[in-house]
Amino acid sequence: MLDNAARDTANVLSSGMGAQGQRYSPLNQINRGNVARLVPAWSFSFGGEKQRGQESQPLVYNGKMFVTASYSRIFAIDLKTGAKLWKYEHRLPEAIMPCCDVVNRGAALYDNLVIFGTLDAQLVALDQETGKIVWKEKVDDYAAGYSMTAAPLIAKGVLVTGVSGGEFGVVGRVEGRNPRTGELLWSRPMVEGHMGYRYDKDGNAIENGVTGTVNESWPGELWKTGGASTWMGGTYDASTGLAYIGTGNPAPWNSHLRPGDNLYSSSTVALDPETGVIRWAYQSTPNDAWDFDGANEFVTFDMNGQRLGGKADRNGFFYVIDAKTGKLQNAFPFVRKITWASGIDLETGRPKFIDAGRPGDPTKGTAGEKSGAVFAAPAFLGAKNQQPMAYSPQTGLFYVPANEWGMEIWNEPITYKKGGAFLGAGFTIKPLFDDYIGALRAVDPKTGKIVWEAKNNAPLWGGVMATAGGLVFHGTPEGYLKALDAKTGKELWKFQTGSGVVAPPITWEDGGTQYVAVVSGWGGAVPLWGGEVAKKVNFLEQGGSVWVFKLAAK
């Protein structure tokens, strides 16, 4: 069922509406001609005083919706009525340290279980019928900066998960577990120099090869606190048999402390989900100095007889990569202003760095509070951040929620302290244009051209869904869920949800009726880290609810 989830119109069984992450539905009952008749079917409030950012993608199965919420909560809701069936609220310690709000991006389904990660770095598996805990496993130490925010992935029957916490000097890794029991099967660090392990039936660790080569691309000791967190989870393609995981920025941000490429940070890593062995890796930002990460989703698709993957990177470039081999096929900008590189060399796969675009070494040159400051674009929140894109095989286009902003950034001396912020940089984010920051862009992976764009005043922080009805759905921080024509970008419908939308929509069919749903609740990284941009959207209200829509009767 999970391997065929992208074609299952009655359910939404995984994050990405299918493990490959296309976020495309073959449903077309709701289409260009009638979407203007879309009205609410029901709405459900997460309640309580705990709101903040709501970035969750709901799951739909067996008459229930499973939706996670801020502060590590999860609800089961009756699909027909919107009534609460059960709620699980994880007991969180006072000292959790999420860098970018108390969000959760969703759960995974397996057998009779619903499984999700928590802000204190635990995995919890609940009975789908009752909400009772079936198993619970500690992943790592929250006091050292570890947390979990991504939706887990099921690949070849293995529960594949990552960790958040790159801003605290954690070591990013991917783990494989038995989804029925939580038993650890393997662990693969994403920072070169660390040992990978597999585990026998008694839980004993067996060495499974070092990731990369010690000190080859990480000099000195900084690889021991190297970041590269796997905070957005991953995708899986049954045709290649590989799981694809994006890795975050190297730590600290001050790149002069860690000369070298700093593998496997800011990369896409392809793993065997049964063993945790790395099959290939592609690094989009070697020696990252701008917190560009590489954690964004790798979405597989067919083009010109090849199985490829598309990735809209935080660094402003869109990459098309062979999903089987990791060989770069194409790379092009999807935002207007990029200052750190002039392009990507398609032969070597490496960026053409602009030396003047890198913040300077604070130990050299003129001493001062902002020594070596540069203006860089995109800003560190990225040309695209956590908000997932969609791909439509009907149009052959990717729909990318992009942001146009820059930052003044400078490096600072830094030393590692367990549980402390490990940046070594200062920054101020600024808009690039007066009339918009966000832009939903239709990108042609063959030509690299932006076919159309729909501008938005505030940054786009919610995901996208495409359908066979010729529609693209996405939300805005101003509170709207919108439907656009997938070929032209023309706005055909919008609805005010009452709070900012920073989550991806879904759709399914029940009893001959197509439904669309989205979670509403303003928050995430923008109001916490956004500088001048945050001031621009400080009028937005928090919230916590899920809205479900259907066509009104004629």
Side-chain angles (χ1 to χ4, degrees):
M1 289 178 71
L2 290 170
D3 282 350
N4 293 311
R7 294 181 291 275
D8 184 349
T9 58
N11 302 294
V12 180
L13 298 178
S14 65
S15 180
M17 297 174 59
Q20 66 268 49
Q22 290 187 357
R23 297 186 179 274
Y24 172 81
S25 172
L27 289 171
N28 60 9
Q29 183 184 95
I30 301 169
N31 53 55
R32 293 187 190 94
N34 61 22
V35 69
R37 293 179 17 229
L38 213 56
V39 295
W42 53 262
S43 179
F44 176 86
S45 171
F46 298 147
E49 298 177 2
K50 296 179 177 179
Q51 301 296 347
R52 304 284 292 271
Q54 311 291 353
E55 295 181 354
S56 175
Q57 183 218 287
L59 301 176
V60 169
Y61 177 59
N62 197 26
K64 301 178 185 65
M65 175 183 286
F66 302 96
V67 58
T68 61
S70 56
Y71 290 98
S72 303
R73 296 173 290 166
I74 184 168
F75 298 83
I77 306 169
D78 186 288
L79 265 188
K80 293 189 183 299
T81 66
K84 181 175 75 174
L85 300 174
W86 53 257
K87 174 179 77 169
Y88 171 80
E89 188 164 354
H90 190 71
R91 183 175 294 177
L92 290 168
E94 292 291 327
I96 55 170
M97 292 181 292
C99 88
C100 308
D101 208 359
V102 288
V103 300
N104 188 283
R105 298 187 182 91
L109 301 178
Y110 193 83
D111 283 353
N112 66 323
L113 302 176
V114 55
I115 307 164
F116 80 117
T118 67
L119 287 168
D120 60 345
Q122 296 191 51
L123 279 167
V124 182
L126 307 168
D127 185 284
Q128 292 177 13
E129 291 294 323
T130 65
K132 301 294 185 185
I133 296 174
V134 176
W135 59 259
K136 182 166 61 173
E137 292 289 336
K138 177 181 176 181
V139 174
D140 217 306
D141 181 10
Y142 68 85
Y146 286 90
S147 58
M148 299 188 78
T149 54
L153 170 71
I154 303 291
K156 284 191 176 179
V158 177
L159 177 70
V160 179
T161 58
V163 293
S164 302
E167 266 52 77
F168 299 97
V170 306
V171 174
R173 68 178 188 273
V174 185
E175 292 181 342
R177 294 176 184 268
N178 182 335
R180 292 187 178 91
T181 64
E183 172 192 8
L184 191 59
L185 304 175
W186 54 261
S187 180
R188 172 56 54 190
M190 291 290 103
V191 177
E192 185 174 56
H194 292 267
M195 178 64 72
Y197 294 94
R198 58 185 178 87
Y199 298 86
D200 65 20
K201 58 182 175 47
D202 299 316
N204 299 310
I206 302 164
E207 290 187 353
N208 197 25
V210 173
T211 297
T213 304
V214 179
N215 280 152
E216 185 165 295
S217 69
W218 284 87
E221 300 291 301
L222 277 180
W223 60 277
K224 296 180 180 179
T225 51
S229 63
T230 46
W231 59 272
M232 272 190 62
T235 56
Y236 167 70
D237 190 293
S239 70
T240 66
L242 297 175
Y244 305 95
I245 310 294
T247 66
N249 57 285
W253 290 17
N254 184 345
S255 63
H256 298 281
L257 296 174
R258 41 174 176 76
D261 284 354
N262 312 138
L263 297 174
Y264 289 91
S265 66
S266 300
S267 299
T268 301
V269 181
L271 297 167
D272 182 329
E274 293 179 304
T275 65
V277 172
I278 296 175
R279 295 304 182 196
W280 60 257
Y282 177 82
Q283 190 172 42
S284 41
T285 314
N287 195 224
D288 185 353
W290 306 269
D291 186 35
F292 281 154
D293 280 39
N296 287 358
E297 70 281 10
F298 184 80
V299 179
T300 53
F301 68 108
D302 291 316
M303 187 174 76
N304 298 333
Q306 283 182 280
R307 193 61 172 171
L308 304 173
K311 181 171 184 172
D313 201 277
R314 266 168 72 161
N315 69 20
F317 290 99
F318 191 103
Y319 297 84
V320 180
I321 298 171
D322 188 302
K324 294 179 181 177
T325 67
K327 181 174 173 50
L328 181 67
Q329 307 295 303
N330 202 1
F332 45 83
F334 66 95
V335 287
R336 307 292 182 199
K337 189 176 180 68
I338 297 175
T339 64
W340 70 277
S342 60
I344 308 298
D345 187 315
L346 296 184
E347 289 299 316
T348 66
R350 296 183 66 82
K352 302 172 185 177
F353 285 109
I354 299 172
D355 291 340
R358 182 180 294 270
D361 186 342
T363 65
K364 298 177 181 178
T366 305
E369 185 181 347
K370 297 183 179 180
S371 175
V374 299
F375 186 81
F380 77 89
L381 287 176
K384 189 182 87 65
N385 197 283
Q386 67 85 27
Q387 59 274 24
M389 63 184 180
Y391 172 77
S392 170
Q394 185 183 66
T395 64
L397 301 175
F398 279 91
Y399 300 95
V400 182
N403 288 308
E404 298 279 4
W405 41 22
M407 62 180 172
E408 185 182 20
I409 181 170
W410 58 95
N411 285 325
E412 300 168 344
I414 186 72
T415 55
Y416 173 76
K417 181 181 178 182
K418 180 181 175 181
F422 194 43
L423 301 186
F427 47 82
T428 303
I429 292 183
K430 299 177 181 179
L432 293 176
F433 307 111
D434 293 333
D435 58 332
Y436 77 103
I437 299 173
L440 182 65
R441 290 182 170 140
V443 175
D444 186 334
K446 283 188 177 181
T447 65
K449 292 182 178 177
I450 297 172
V451 177
W452 57 256
E453 68 178 359
K455 294 178 179 178
N456 196 70
N457 181 57
L460 291 181
W461 212 253
V464 187
M465 173 181 69
T467 75
L471 297 171
V472 174
F473 289 86
H474 80 112
T476 73
E478 293 89 344
Y480 289 104
L481 177 64
K482 296 184 176 184
L484 310 183
D485 187 307
K487 290 185 177 178
T488 67
K490 180 182 178 182
E491 185 178 301
L492 302 176
W493 171 87
K494 67 179 179 180
F495 179 85
Q496 175 57 248
T497 66
S499 184
V501 178
V502 292
I506 60 168
T507 189
W508 72 95
E509 184 179 38
D510 183 33
T513 299
Q514 183 182 354
Y515 295 86
V516 171
V518 74
V519 171
S520 171
W522 171 241
V526 174
L528 297 175
W529 294 78
E532 291 182 20
V533 171
K535 295 175 186 175
K536 194 169 182 177
V537 290
N538 64 7
F539 67 92
L540 297 167
E541 298 294 341
Q542 291 187 353
S545 59
V546 56
W547 287 87
V548 174
F549 303 89
K550 65 178 181 179
L551 292 174
K554 287 185 179 178

